[in-house]
Amino acid sequence: MDEKELEEWLRGRPPHQAAEIAIRSAARVLPFLALLKEKPTLTFSFLPAFRAVLTAAVTMRFYDEAVITATGLAANGARRATQYYGDQAEDCGACICIAARSAAIVAAIIGETKPQPRGLTVEAATAASHSALVFRGYDQVFGSESAIWNEIENDIATWPASGTTMQAALWQDHSQTNFSEADAALASKIIRQTGDPDSFWLRWWEGAKSGHWLDWDLQREVALIPDEVWNRGTAALGEAIRKIEARYADSSKPEDIEDALARLPSASPVQHQTFHQAVTAYQEVLPQTLAQVVDFCRLELNRLQGRNEAYVSPEAEAEAQRQIRVLTSILAALERLQIEIPETGALSEASIVKGEKLTRLLVKGFTEWPRKNIADMTDSAWRLALVGGCAALGPMLGVSASVAAGVGVALFGGKKIADAIKVAKDVTNA
């Protein structure tokens, strides 16, 4: 495959596929920033390219006005960074920044027009081709530029049924993963520039490389850090990131429901309409379903908080406290959702907006609830109620009841999976 063949393949494809190819291509060459010779008259920073790839990835999860603006600013930052290298196409440093810039541009415009505008295919191919040029510059060490094209072909050939490659490791061809020199140099340079051996960027890169990304809400907040803070360098940015991470690391108390709602991005009109239609369709059974899940959460929370036996280890105690925090947040969101959804009558516009956000919080809370906790549920009725709750919440976010029931089974299902699915479908008339 080459640039022209990629452009041809992308024509008529869903826009997100062009964005994912661009993001993954640009990410694959980020470590090479650490191998470039620095110029004594200029200050080098890894931040512009890293920022462009991070914000582009965040845009794939949160396509809203604030994130789109941040992605555009990141693209501009990567463009300016090419001047460090003289903006020469044959310069590996310039190629890395151009690839990152193109990835950010593609991510920022994926929702602009349909069918897919030609700009998407051109920018995605630009990201891929400039990433390949980096490999040409290092071909004596890491192999030819075909490595990038091979990985793109792997992504295309194995595009998952879930519709996204973002959770896959960057290198499916394991013969191309021997970049220990670049990775070690990258870690050293990040630590030197940030002064932090546990820098956010080290953890972010490991997540991007493996497909096990850091918390997406956390990454969104990092992407939305004001442009002037990014431009002030690693010290100012590091302080801003540490404050964000501190909120996510504090598991001693549950997050305030109003703070959690305020930090969630606004949904699109289509998402609000989906929520409204789902609630209207299932309005007769939703109050009972939500009440069952609320009852269970209260019972489980009381069990955890009322425990008298000593924990077998500090880790077990910490895990119990984490479960209490997650359950408390779930319960708060459920109780607020009960208020927003009346048993009869139409929903107000405000209830639709808030209810949709509350549903997203609940889905996030359910996925954070550990599966091993289910072993303590001796009453399968509670297990079935939770599966039914998942199936009821799914359509509010545009997910079919049967798929949502499958998620519920994965999280809460025990030996009676078939019964759980039946209950879930009965609850939602799926």
Side-chain angles (χ1 to χ4, degrees):
M1 176 171 279
D2 59 23
E3 184 175 1
K4 293 300 181 183
E5 289 175 342
L6 177 59
E7 279 192 49
E8 183 64 30
W9 184 84
L10 286 172
R11 289 194 182 98
R13 299 278 176 176
H16 77 87
Q17 291 189 342
E20 289 186 21
I21 285 175
I23 292 166
R24 287 169 63 79
S25 296
R28 288 181 179 114
V29 294
L30 288 178
F32 293 96
L33 285 167
L35 300 182
L36 302 172
K37 292 183 179 180
E38 297 187 23
K39 299 180 179 181
T41 57
L42 294 171
T43 301
F44 168 82
S45 173
F46 66 89
L47 286 178
F50 270 59
R51 178 192 184 187
V53 175
L54 178 146
T55 54
V58 168
T59 305
M60 303 303 293
R61 295 294 293 260
F62 305 102
Y63 194 78
D64 58 69
E65 184 176 353
V67 172
I68 295 168
T69 299
T71 306
L73 292 170
N76 288 336
R79 177 187 58 78
R80 291 193 299 269
T82 61
Q83 298 170 8
Y84 178 90
Y85 308 99
D87 203 14
Q88 299 299 309
E90 66 271 14
D91 190 303
C92 289
C95 288
I96 294 170
C97 292
I98 291 169
R101 169 185 173 273
S102 291
I105 289 173
V106 175
I109 64 176
I110 56 174
E112 279 192 355
T113 59
K114 293 183 179 180
Q116 178 176 330
R118 185 171 182 272
L120 275 172
T121 62
V122 172
E123 290 293 348
T126 296
S129 64
H130 281 76
S131 298
L133 285 174
V134 175
F135 271 70
R136 178 186 295 176
Y138 286 98
D139 61 359
Q140 293 181 348
V141 181
F142 300 113
S144 71
E145 61 186 286
S146 63
I148 285 290
W149 298 115
N150 288 343
E151 288 301 329
I152 292 173
E153 289 178 345
N154 284 338
D155 283 347
I156 290 173
T158 61
W159 212 285
S162 63
T164 180
T165 60
M166 295 296 286
Q167 295 176 344
L170 287 177
W171 297 102
Q172 298 181 52
D173 183 349
H174 295 291
S175 67
Q176 302 294 341
T177 59
N178 188 24
F179 301 129
S180 57
E181 179 188 353
D183 265 349
L186 177 66
S188 177
K189 184 156 286 188
I190 289 176
I191 292 171
R192 177 164 58 83
Q193 290 197 3
T194 63
D196 182 4
D198 188 38
S199 170
F200 165 85
W201 294 108
L202 293 174
R203 289 176 282 114
W204 177 84
W205 168 241
E206 287 302 317
K209 183 171 60 175
S210 66
H212 299 291
W213 296 80
L214 297 181
D215 184 286
W216 284 105
D217 291 323
L218 184 152
Q219 289 188 78
R220 181 179 187 273
E221 291 201 45
V222 171
L224 295 182
I225 291 174
D227 195 44
E228 58 268 22
V229 177
W230 284 95
N231 293 334
R232 277 159 49 193
T234 54
L237 181 65
E239 181 60 28
I241 292 176
R242 276 190 289 275
K243 290 179 179 178
I244 293 171
E245 288 200 288
R247 293 202 307 270
Y248 284 83
D250 183 10
S251 60
S252 61
K253 59 181 181 180
E255 183 178 33
D256 180 79
I257 188 72
E258 293 299 332
D259 289 344
L261 289 172
R263 278 197 290 272
L264 277 180
S266 299
S268 68
V270 173
Q271 290 170 311
H272 286 152
Q273 182 180 14
T274 298
F275 174 84
H276 189 197
Q277 289 174 342
V279 171
T280 301
Y282 305 131
Q283 194 165 4
E284 289 185 7
V285 296
L286 272 176
Q288 180 183 359
T289 302
L290 293 176
Q292 288 178 325
V293 181
V294 165
D295 286 345
F296 169 77
C297 287
R298 286 174 178 159
L299 183 69
E300 182 66 1
L301 192 58
N302 290 337
R303 185 187 71 81
L304 288 169
Q305 291 175 329
R307 178 188 174 102
N308 294 320
E309 303 89 350
Y311 289 97
V312 295
S313 67
E315 291 77 14
E317 183 174 6
E319 172 61 17
Q321 293 302 317
R322 192 191 73 80
Q323 291 182 33
I324 289 173
R325 176 181 62 82
V326 173
L327 269 170
T328 302
S329 297
I330 290 175
L331 186 58
L334 281 167
E335 290 174 338
R336 288 294 298 274
L337 188 60
Q338 284 180 305
I339 295 173
E340 300 300 335
I341 299 179
E343 294 187 10
T344 58
L347 273 71
S348 68
E349 188 65 33
S351 290
I352 293 172
V353 172
K354 184 165 287 188
E356 191 276 339
K357 281 191 171 186
L358 286 165
T359 304
R360 273 188 278 158
L361 283 181
L362 282 170
V363 170
K364 181 175 182 290
F366 279 164
T367 57
E368 288 178 354
W369 204 348
R371 297 181 189 181
K372 62 184 179 182
N373 188 50
I374 304 307
D376 294 330
M377 299 181 194
T378 56
D379 189 344
S380 62
W382 291 120
R383 194 179 290 124
L384 302 185
L386 287 169
V387 175
C390 283
L393 294 172
M396 300 183 198
L397 298 179
V399 178
S400 70
S402 58
V403 171
V407 174
V409 167
L411 291 170
F412 305 112
K415 296 179 180 178
K416 299 182 179 180
I417 289 180
D419 289 342
I421 294 176
K422 181 179 182 301
V423 169
K425 290 186 175 181
D426 288 344
V427 167
T428 57
N429 297 319

